Amino acid sequence: MKKSELALLYFPDSAVAVATNRLMRWVHDCPPLMEELEALGYHRSQKLLTSRQVSLIIRHLGDP
């Protein structure tokens, strides 16, 4: 799933770039989530998220 697609689920009334920036701010502000994502190979420039990465984000941040 694209980061932007997931971001728009969390922020449906925002522009794509704004939604993505907001979501990634939430992700980076949650150290346990970042640690788990990095253990799965996540890096900042990544545009696509694996299903496991998406599941982790939802588990930590709640349903969109």
Side-chain angles (χ1 to χ4, degrees), residues 13-53:
D13 297 329
S14 297
V16 174
V18 172
T20 304
N21 287 338
R22 282 179 162 173
L23 175 62
M24 296 322 296
R25 193 173 314 126
W26 282 10
V27 168
H28 292 286
D29 285 345
C30 183
L33 171 55
M34 279 305 300
E35 286 178 24
E36 290 185 56
L37 283 173
E38 289 169 351
L40 292 177
Y42 172 79
H43 52 88
R44 267 191 134 105
S45 62
Q46 189 173 322
K47 302 291 183 208
L48 294 173
L49 300 168
T50 67
S51 59
R52 290 180 71 194
Q53 290 169 339

